[in-house]
Amino acid sequence: MKSLLLASLFAYCYSFTSDLQAQVTLPYYSGFDSAAERNGWAVYRLGYAALGNWSIANINGFSAPSCISHDYSPSSGANVVDDWYVSPGFLLPSGGMLDSVRYAFSGFSVPTAGDTIGVYLIIGNQDPAAASGIIELAEFRDAEYQADNLYRLLSGIALPPTNDMAFIGLRYRNAEASSRWLYVRFDNIAVRESTTSIHRPDNGKTNVIYPNPTNDEVTILHQQTGGTVFFYDQTGIPLCQYALSNSETSTTLSLSQWPQGIYRLVIQQQNQIESVSLSRM
């Protein structure tokens, strides 16, 4: 019995320590060049467990010596490979910014239908299969996928505010992993928390909210189906979040639980963010 209790205590302490190690403070940077920079990253294999996998490459890093890479599985018979490489967790109560991702592609193929090489924000759980939300930040295909072995920079990507743990996920999905040669490398990932108001891309898109002011319900006419509304008080404290309709481009919310005052709604759809002030009478 004593041995069992000790084993249980060890397992609990190990789990607790792992959870602590899985969270990092912002700003965060990893060039995958040391054990400390690799700590907390994890691989999740949601497809065929093929020969190709995410691994540390000790050559051809943007910042020497290392980067992370994923290759195809030549002549193995593998079909759909869907592998994720996911960062340790961090908190974004006021939103944040993905400042840097270096990427380079090579091989004799390019992504086609069924393939995905992309960067995502994963919310709620490090495992993409158990996450409460996954937001695409960038997907590389067509002109965005240049198989020339040259590093390029992805930067200036706004991250929406969330009260849940957040993670950066790199996805390699190859629908014909046995024959389609997609070789990818990523390096120099940098994330910071917002210290000012939420960044809004200048994309010309707007959402309509009415009535404003309101004494109870408010209707949001949004550009696309799906997404999330983050609800803040006038001091910037996050209060709650609501889901936008997945089937309609109109969502009606009841605000009866909140007292009179000025609030801020941050509407996030895919990688587009818009902030709107709302008066509750």
Side-chain angles (χ1 to χ4, degrees):
M1 176 65 71
K2 183 177 180 180
S3 298
L4 180 60
L5 289 174
L6 288 174
S8 298
L9 180 59
F10 175 80
Y12 171 80
C13 291
Y14 177 79
S15 174
F16 181 72
T17 302
S18 298
D19 288 342
L20 287 178
Q21 291 176 341
Q23 182 176 338
V24 295
T25 57
L26 297 179
Y28 172 74
Y29 167 82
S30 179
F32 307 100
D33 297 320
S34 66
E37 290 186 355
R38 301 168 191 168
N39 187 43
W41 286 81
V43 174
Y44 293 93
R45 313 201 72 180
L46 306 186
Y48 192 100
L51 300 176
N53 196 359
W54 286 110
S55 62
I56 299 295
N58 291 318
I59 57 173
N60 297 325
F62 181 82
S63 61
S66 301
C67 62
I68 56 172
S69 68
H70 199 301
D71 207 344
Y72 81 128
S73 300
S75 304
S76 63
N79 292 318
V80 177
V81 168
D82 193 359
D83 293 341
W84 293 73
Y85 202 61
V86 185
S87 76
F90 44 83
L91 296 174
L92 295 171
S94 301
M97 189 73 67
L98 180 61
D99 282 326
S100 170
V101 178
R102 295 284 181 175
Y103 61 93
F105 308 135
S106 58
F108 294 125
S109 304
V110 296
T112 62
D115 301 334
T116 299
I117 308 298
V119 182
Y120 295 79
L121 184 68
I122 301 173
I123 298 173
N125 196 300
Q126 190 180 35
D127 183 351
S132 59
I134 298 178
I135 300 170
E136 179 186 293
L137 302 177
E139 186 179 19
F140 304 99
R141 61 177 63 252
D142 300 326
E144 299 297 326
Y145 190 98
Q146 299 292 326
D148 54 12
N149 209 32
L150 298 177
Y151 272 102
R152 291 175 171 83
L153 174 64
L154 175 70
S155 65
I157 304 297
L159 305 177
T162 175
N163 291 325
D164 296 327
M165 193 71 73
F167 311 81
I168 296 297
L170 306 175
R171 186 183 188 186
Y172 179 99
R173 189 183 195 278
N174 189 337
E176 295 292 341
S178 179
S179 59
R180 190 144 51 233
W181 187 4
L182 304 175
Y183 179 68
V184 306
R185 302 196 308 277
F186 289 92
D187 205 352
N188 292 39
I189 294 177
V191 181
R192 63 181 166 90
E193 185 179 7
S194 290
T195 56
T196 57
S197 60
I198 299 300
H199 172 76
R200 176 185 172 184
D202 184 14
N203 53 26
K205 296 183 179 179
T206 59
N207 299 280
V208 176
I209 298 180
Y210 70 94
N212 187 8
T214 181
N215 57 14
D216 183 2
E217 291 188 338
V218 62
T219 297
I220 303 173
L221 302 181
H222 35 94
Q223 298 292 320
Q224 310 158 30
T225 58
T228 305
V229 178
F230 303 89
F231 196 62
Y232 295 79
D233 70 12
Q234 60 184 336
T235 67
I237 296 176
L239 301 176
C240 65
Q241 60 188 60
Y242 303 97
L244 293 175
S245 172
N246 285 318
S247 58
E248 305 288 342
T249 56
S250 173
T251 302
T252 299
L253 306 175
S254 174
L255 306 181
S256 59
Q257 69 186 101
W258 305 110
Q260 294 180 356
I262 305 298
Y263 297 90
R264 182 163 61 91
L265 277 64
V266 177
I267 303 169
Q268 187 276 319
Q269 293 187 288
Q270 296 183 9
N271 64 337
Q272 306 300 326
I273 299 175
E274 182 171 5
S275 179
V276 179
S277 293
L278 175 70
S279 297
R280 167 81 165 89
M281 299 176 62

